[in-house]
């Protein structure tokens, strides 16, 4: 089949489009007179370059989400802890870059071969080989590591919100290393590696998957990334205990975040970065004769609808139940919708993405109230948003995914959703991921607690971590207290004089 269009053979020609150009999908690109412009090999190179560029740009967008997390968390904590939370965000990305390069990526993807190809020490539980990318002796595969590192860094950052304002930096570093080196990579291996036992890409010598029929469908990481970070954060919040004034009706207002401006900016940045997170998970744009980029376009639409519906649902709920329009509540509604749609973004129709975002908002609301009733202090509601909405996103794929979308995205032609098989697989994934993360995180957080290394002293917490951990006080971060919305009633104009704010 040949597709032809008209173009110009001379730059700046006054005759407009004066030459017919034809694309032969099998052999070459030719001019109307059959003069070859490109061979099939050259077209393949162009497709490969397009795919790599797509993944790199998507990876940059995912990394840009670190800025979103930083702004959201800075606005959600008190001004006296701003420097500390920003420092943690910086270190999340930095520590993840080294640990994931040395070991994490190898545990997640190993030699990147199928089980029937005898991939060395890779097995269904964990990958092995390609340590520190030593197998990448050419320049064709580095984009894969770059993209996956950005995901690992995002998972680590989620935890910082759960333990904000009272966690010692040394303890947080220990956990970040454990998460990005081992805890997260094992989950990524299970679901996304070609040898992982839950993976839709696992194929044995007979062409079968370990979990019949399609394995677990988690397109962009509701379970792999968000559940991992969210449940790890839950264990951290339980181990470290609540902040002073938590669940104290008379003083709880003292825990209010420093800046709605920064929080709103952070969520908008996250929403933008999520298009790289979800659409970039096609891992290509030029491949598939246009299928990959068309799936990416649909993913952007479902992602948008779910996020918007999450925000609108929380807006209506806050007005009806709280009696006013709560900005923070609506910002979290956006994130609830985004996390919920991350797993099924490629396998559901737009109407279903609206339902997923709508129900995801109520999952967030219920989980947020639930953990507060249990006395668990999660300053940014990171567990309700990432942990519980992540679980809902995985489950929703077993409810709303369609046969045609699964076939288009994964290549599977079966009735796994209709007969309940897919729901079973998704439910197994939720239980196993939650169990694995809670168990391994407990082995990190509780020994640190019992050793007295997890939480700062009450005096340090009262002063703020900026002073105790970084030698700074509120207002010395280069940002005016008026913008931060600091708790202090006055600012120093000049030595010896103050004014109220």
């Amino acid at each position: 089949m040949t597709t032809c269009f008209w173009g110009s053979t001379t730059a700046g020609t006054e005759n407009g489009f004066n030459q017919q150009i034809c694309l032969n999908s099998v052999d070459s690109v030719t001019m109307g007179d059959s003069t070859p412009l490109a061979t099939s090999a050259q077209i393949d190179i162009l497709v490969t370059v397009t795919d790599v560029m797509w993944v790199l740009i998507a990876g940059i967008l995912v990394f840009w989400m670190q800025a979103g997390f930083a702004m959201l968390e800075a606005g959600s904590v008190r001004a006296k802890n701003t420097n500390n939370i920003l420092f943690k965000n910086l270190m999340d990305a930095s520590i993840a870059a080294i640990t994931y390069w040395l070991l994490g990526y190898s545990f997640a993807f190993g030699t990147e071969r199928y089980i029937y190809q005898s991939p060395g020490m890779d097995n269904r539980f964990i990958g092995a080989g390609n340590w520190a990318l030593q197998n990448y002796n050419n320049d064709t595969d580095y984009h894969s590591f770059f993209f996956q590192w950005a995901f690992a860094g995002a998972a680590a950052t989620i935890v910082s919100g759960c333990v904000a304002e009272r966690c010692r930096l040394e303890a947080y570093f220990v956990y970040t290393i454990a998460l990005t080196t081992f805890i997260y990579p094992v989950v990524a291996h299970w679901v996304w590696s070609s040898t992982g036992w839950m993976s839709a890409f696992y194929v044995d010598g007979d062409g079968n998957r370990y979990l019949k029929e399609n394995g677990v469908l988690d397109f962009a990481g509701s379970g792999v990334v968000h559940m991992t970070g969210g449940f790890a954060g839950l264990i951290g919040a339980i181990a470290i205990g609540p902040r002073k004034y938590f669940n104290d009706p008379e003083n709880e207002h003292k825990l209010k975040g420093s800046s709605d401006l920064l929080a709103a900016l952070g969520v908008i940045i996250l929403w933008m970065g999520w298009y790289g997170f979800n659409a970039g998970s096609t891992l290509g744009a030029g491949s598939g004769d246009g299928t990959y980029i068309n799936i990416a376009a649909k993913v952007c639409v479902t992602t948008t609808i779910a996020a918007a519906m999450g925000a609108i649902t929380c807006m209506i709920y806050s007005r009806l139940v709280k009696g006013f329009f709560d900005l923070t509540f609506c910002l979290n509604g956006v994130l609830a919708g985004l996390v919920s749609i991350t797993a099924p973004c490629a396998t559901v129709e737009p109407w279903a993405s609206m339902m997923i975002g709508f129900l995801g908002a109520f999952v967030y609301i219920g989980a947020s109230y639930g953990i507060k009733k249990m006395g668990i202090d999660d300053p940014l509601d990171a567990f309700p948003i990432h942990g519980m909405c992540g679980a809902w996103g995985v489950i929703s794929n077993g409810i709303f995914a369609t046969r045609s979308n699964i076939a288009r995205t994964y290549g599977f032609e079966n009735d796994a959703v209709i007969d309940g098989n897919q729901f079973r697989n998704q439910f197994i994934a939720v239980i196993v991921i939650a169990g694995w993360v809670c168990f391994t995180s407990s082995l990190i957080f509780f020994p640190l607690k019992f050793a007295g290394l997890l939480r700062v002293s009450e005096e340090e917490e009262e002063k703020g971590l900026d002073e105790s951990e970084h030698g700074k006080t509120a207002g010395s971060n280069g940002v005016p207290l008026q913008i931060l919305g600091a708790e202090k009633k006055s600012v120093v104009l000049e030595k010896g004089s103050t004014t109220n704010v």
Side-chain angles (χ1 to χ4, degrees):
M1 177 179 177
T2 301
T3 302
C4 298
F5 55 91
W6 287 92
S8 175
T9 57
T10 305
T13 179
E14 297 179 358
N15 297 325
F17 298 117
N18 62 354
Q19 179 67 58
Q20 189 180 43
I21 301 175
C22 298
L23 173 63
N24 187 309
S25 61
V26 176
D27 297 316
S28 63
V29 178
T30 66
M31 302 295 288
D33 60 1
S34 298
T35 302
L37 293 179
T39 65
S40 59
Q42 291 171 322
I43 294 172
D44 289 342
I45 292 173
L46 178 61
V47 169
T48 299
V49 169
T50 302
D51 288 345
V52 171
M53 182 60 70
W54 172 259
V55 173
L56 290 176
I57 293 172
I60 292 169
L61 280 173
V62 176
F63 178 66
W64 175 236
M65 292 172 70
Q66 290 287 349
F69 280 122
M71 294 300 97
L72 171 60
E73 294 185 6
S76 299
V77 301
R78 290 166 289 180
K80 61 186 180 182
N81 296 307
T82 304
N83 196 280
N84 179 261
I85 205 72
L86 294 175
F87 188 82
K88 286 178 180 176
N89 276 266
L90 175 64
M91 289 299 103
D92 281 334
S94 301
I95 291 173
I98 302 303
T99 58
Y100 204 65
W101 163 62
L102 287 173
L103 297 172
Y105 187 73
S106 299
F107 288 147
F109 297 99
T111 55
E112 298 182 278
R113 290 186 292 174
Y114 292 103
I115 200 74
Y116 65 84
Q117 295 174 318
S118 301
M121 298 298 292
D122 288 5
N123 56 56
R124 297 188 186 104
F125 177 77
I126 195 169
N130 193 25
W131 311 109
L133 306 183
Q134 62 180 352
N135 290 3
Y136 287 0
N137 54 10
N138 54 53
D139 298 330
T140 62
D141 298 308
Y142 287 108
H143 63 288
S144 176
F145 166 79
F146 175 73
F147 188 67
Q148 296 298 335
W149 155 72
F151 275 57
T157 301
I158 293 168
V159 183
S160 63
C162 294
V163 297
E165 299 197 303
R166 69 258 200 225
C167 183
R168 292 183 59 173
L169 277 176
E170 295 85 354
Y172 190 75
F173 294 156
V174 170
Y175 180 72
T176 301
I177 291 170
L179 179 77
T180 55
T181 303
F182 185 67
I183 299 173
Y184 168 81
V186 168
V187 178
H189 180 79
W190 291 348
V191 181
W192 286 340
S193 167
S194 55
T195 57
W197 68 276
M198 287 195 287
S199 177
F201 311 106
Y202 174 97
V203 179
D204 63 19
D206 298 322
N208 298 318
R209 269 156 288 282
Y210 191 77
L211 285 183
K212 309 292 191 261
E213 301 174 27
N214 301 334
V216 172
L217 305 182
D218 185 0
F219 187 76
S222 288
V224 175
V225 179
H226 296 284
M227 276 190 68
T228 298
F231 276 87
L234 172 67
I235 298 301
I238 293 172
I240 202 169
R243 294 166 295 171
K244 185 179 180 180
Y245 306 129
F246 177 73
N247 273 351
D248 179 355
E250 294 183 1
N251 294 295
E252 200 165 20
H253 66 278
K254 296 179 180 179
L255 297 179
K256 186 179 183 338
S258 62
S259 174
D260 288 342
L261 170 63
L262 291 179
L265 176 62
V267 169
I268 295 300
I269 291 173
L270 285 169
W271 191 342
M272 175 185 174
W274 228 286
Y275 294 116
F277 205 98
N278 286 3
S281 292
T282 58
L283 302 182
S287 297
D289 294 327
T291 300
Y292 282 32
I293 195 63
N294 288 330
I295 291 174
K298 183 176 183 178
V299 164
C300 287
V301 172
T302 57
T303 299
T304 301
I305 292 173
M309 196 63 203
I312 291 170
T313 302
C314 286
M315 175 194 71
I316 296 172
Y317 181 91
S318 67
R319 183 65 181 88
L320 294 178
V321 177
K322 295 187 172 186
F324 60 94
F325 295 108
D326 189 331
L327 173 63
T328 301
F329 210 60
C330 294
L331 293 174
N332 286 342
V334 171
L335 299 178
L338 289 168
V339 173
S340 299
I341 198 60
T342 298
C345 57
T347 52
V348 301
E349 293 299 313
W351 70 266
S353 69
M354 182 187 70
M355 292 301 300
I356 290 168
F358 172 74
L359 294 172
F362 283 102
V363 170
Y364 152 64
I365 293 168
S368 179
Y369 284 128
I371 63 170
K372 286 181 174 65
K373 288 292 185 182
M374 292 187 287
I376 301 172
D377 182 13
D378 183 350
L380 277 89
D381 271 341
F383 170 70
I385 293 170
H386 296 278
M388 292 306 297
C389 289
W392 160 240
V394 175
I395 292 292
S396 70
N397 227 349
I399 301 172
F400 293 107
T402 66
R403 174 172 178 157
S404 60
N405 281 315
I406 291 175
R408 190 173 179 224
T409 304
Y410 292 94
F412 307 146
E413 285 281 1
N414 53 55
D415 293 317
V417 175
I418 295 174
D419 62 23
N421 179 277
Q422 196 61 56
F423 182 86
R424 181 206 66 178
N425 289 358
Q426 304 299 113
F427 185 76
I428 290 172
V430 167
I431 298 301
V432 173
I433 292 173
W436 165 258
V437 175
C438 289
F439 172 72
T440 51
S441 297
S442 296
L443 297 179
I444 304 297
F445 280 116
F446 284 102
L448 288 171
K449 176 183 180 178
F450 297 143
L453 301 174
L454 182 59
R455 183 167 181 153
V456 298
S457 68
E458 185 175 338
E459 180 183 359
E460 290 174 319
E461 183 180 345
E462 189 66 29
K463 288 182 178 179
L465 302 189
D466 286 3
E467 182 174 343
S468 62
E469 298 275 14
H470 306 281
K472 291 181 176 290
T473 56
S476 65
N477 299 309
V479 181
L481 284 171
Q482 295 94 325
I483 294 178
L484 286 175
E487 311 83 30
K488 291 189 175 181
K489 297 296 184 182
S490 61
V491 295
V492 176
L493 290 178
E494 57 185 27
K495 193 171 183 179
S497 66
T498 62
T499 184
N500 291 331
V501 294

